[in-house]
Amino acid sequence: HSPRWSQTEQLEQESAAQLQQVKSFRHPQVQLVSRQYFAKSDALRYGLPDYVESSVIGAGSTGLEVVLSVVDPALWGQVNAAEKHLDYSKAQKNHLRMELEFLTLAQYLAVQKAIQRVKNSDESVQRARAILALAQTRLKAGMGVRLDLMRAEVL
């Protein structure tokens, strides 16, 4: 893969992760909550029994807290933006894939064209050598003209 391809693939993965993260906020968030309250007390003032020696009274509660964003326009805007960014990243990746396929095909066809040119050139050289050999033979045999030999040498 080319560096551009790797970068585009990474952008799509990051966009998908960002979308998942934003969408997770639409689901209920559950957390454990613990609260403690402390107060100073005066046993005589509040009519507490004499055996209560502490001047601090504590109370506490523990429970589950569930948070659900039912109507949060900002959150829905983030989700929509993340979805559009993911769609853009996918389109960009597909565009780059098609561009790379086109460039690869163009290079392949250029190589095939060059190979065909080499084959044609080799055939032309062999044909010119054969014509030259024939012209030399005809001239030696007295059946050819010097002009035919000169034309064959030009080829």
Side-chain angles (χ1 to χ4, degrees), residues 88-100:
Y88 173 76
S89 295
K90 286 181 179 179
Q92 187 177 13
K93 181 180 115 180
N94 289 336
H95 174 74
L96 184 58
R97 176 180 283 157
M98 288 184 347
E99 184 179 315
L100 288 173

Side-chain angles (χ1 to χ4, degrees), residues 62-119:
T62 302
L64 289 176
E65 182 178 83
V66 178
V67 178
L68 175 62
S69 298
V70 177
V71 179
D72 187 356
L75 178 62
W76 291 106
Q78 287 178 345
V79 169
N80 289 337
E83 286 174 344
K84 287 180 182 178
H85 190 267
L86 178 61
D87 292 341
Y88 173 76
S89 295
K90 286 181 179 179
Q92 187 177 13
K93 181 180 115 180
N94 289 336
H95 174 74
L96 184 58
R97 176 180 283 157
M98 288 184 347
E99 184 179 315
L100 288 173
E101 287 173 357
F102 172 75
L103 290 174
T104 303
L105 179 62
Q107 292 299 318
Y108 173 77
L109 293 175
V111 168
Q112 293 300 316
K113 189 175 181 180
I115 289 171
Q116 190 60 41
R117 282 185 189 157
V118 169
K119 286 180 183 177

